[in-house]
Amino acid sequence: MEQKVVYYPGCFANYYNPEIGKSLVFVMEKNGFEVLVSRQLCCGMPMMANSNLKGAEKNFRRIILSLYELSQGRFPIITTCPSCNMMLKKEGKGFFPSQEAEYVSSHVWDASEFLWELDKNGKFNRDFGELKLRVFYHNPCHLKVQKLTEATLNLIKLIPGIEIVGANYACCGMGGSYGMKEKSFKISNEIGKRVWDLVKETKPDVVVTECGGCGLQIRVGTGVKVLHPMELLKEAYILALKRAA
């Protein structure tokens, strides 16, 4: 099989933090994969969550066709956003079924999930530099409900110097666009206080989470720097390159 993956960036990596996508490409290339980037269009999850089923269906079907054509029945599909992953793997096909949707559902991976599977098969590049950081991990709801709770922690524990000082598996309160709305802002903050307190108690150098929305909620509530796991892995790989230079 050719060493390629198809990457669906999603809106957060494409518009708000392109460093996530750049880091994913860097990490995949360090593991021997060429990255094919799919058409960029919202997966439809935010529209579906706000009762715009017509708009969600239009976007979902377009994205599904793009991923189906790029994957060609050979290449895994990778996401860096838990909500996009949930939409492509589970939610979308239930509302907007098609042969292509079934195919994408069975071939899509969260980035950490995919890399941890590589490691379990002895194929993951562990050539990291030492990264002395106290890390708090937040597991997003859209990964937790898919039982994807350990892959990221397992990966970042492979980085020399990393100390895991805490982890949270409860909702941060953001809930997609829920926490950004005036009518639900107070409740969102009340929910978020639990993880804010945990972060403040453990005093990490950085919080790691896959979800951009969760990251915004945690950064605003604590002032602590937040990174996507792919950004952390990229930093560790770059340190190894500098060490070898």
Side-chain angles (χ1 to χ4, degrees):
M1 176 179 281
E2 296 177 65
Q3 288 282 92
K4 295 182 183 181
V5 295
V6 176
Y7 174 43
Y8 175 65
C11 294
F12 198 87
N14 195 56
Y15 297 111
Y16 300 105
N17 186 3
E19 189 57 39
I20 294 173
K22 293 176 182 178
S23 297
L24 182 280
V25 172
F26 186 93
V27 170
M28 287 299 171
E29 288 179 348
K30 287 294 291 182
N31 282 277
F33 290 89
E34 178 185 348
V35 179
L36 308 175
V37 181
S38 78
R39 176 181 184 178
Q40 178 50 44
L41 192 67
C42 177
C43 67
M45 173 69 87
M47 286 179 277
M48 193 163 73
N50 287 280
S51 303
N52 181 6
L53 289 182
K54 185 175 181 180
E57 179 175 12
K58 182 179 179 181
N59 278 30
F60 178 76
R61 292 196 185 280
R62 287 180 176 178
I63 286 300
I64 286 295
L65 286 177
S66 173
L67 293 171
Y68 181 80
E69 290 168 1
L70 274 175
S71 180
Q72 302 175 44
R74 293 180 291 167
F75 311 131
I77 300 164
I78 306 296
T79 66
T80 47
C81 170
S83 296
C84 295
N85 186 276
M86 182 84 165
M87 185 68 173
L88 297 176
K89 188 177 289 185
K90 302 185 82 171
E91 299 298 312
K93 68 176 184 177
F95 282 86
F96 319 118
S98 69
Q99 177 183 341
E100 292 82 4
E102 286 292 340
Y103 169 83
V104 170
S105 171
S106 63
H107 288 78
V108 68
W109 297 74
D110 170 73
S112 293
E113 174 194 19
F114 181 81
L115 293 170
W116 181 239
E117 191 67 22
L118 285 184
D119 191 77
K120 288 192 290 185
N121 288 288
K123 297 179 180 179
F124 179 63
N125 181 356
R126 293 189 176 193
D127 187 17
F128 296 124
E130 186 175 21
L131 198 56
K132 292 186 177 181
L133 285 175
R134 290 167 51 84
V135 173
F136 183 96
Y137 173 63
H138 171 72
N139 183 241
C141 295
H142 281 171
L143 289 185
K144 181 181 177 181
V145 296
Q146 298 184 73
K147 303 187 187 307
L148 298 176
T149 58
E150 301 299 327
T152 292
L153 269 178
N154 289 336
L155 282 175
I156 62 180
K157 285 176 180 176
L158 297 176
I159 301 172
I162 290 289
E163 179 187 356
I164 305 298
V165 296
N168 177 60
Y169 296 87
C171 181
C172 73
M174 180 58 82
S177 61
Y178 178 84
M180 298 181 180
K181 296 175 180 177
E182 184 178 1
K183 65 180 181 180
S184 48
F185 182 73
K186 182 179 178 181
I187 297 174
S188 173
N189 283 359
E190 289 173 358
I191 297 169
K193 188 177 183 303
R194 182 182 182 278
V195 65
W196 295 344
D197 289 345
L198 283 172
V199 171
K200 291 172 184 177
E201 287 170 13
T202 54
K203 297 180 173 60
D205 299 311
V206 65
V207 173
V208 172
T209 185
E210 295 88 345
C211 178
C214 295
L216 291 175
Q217 178 86 323
I218 293 168
R219 182 170 59 82
V220 168
T222 66
V224 177
K225 182 179 182 180
V226 178
L227 291 176
H228 190 280
M230 295 305 110
E231 294 179 279
L232 197 67
L233 293 177
K234 179 184 176 182
E235 283 190 28
Y237 279 133
I238 288 175
L239 283 173
L241 291 173
K242 290 179 178 178
R243 179 190 64 200

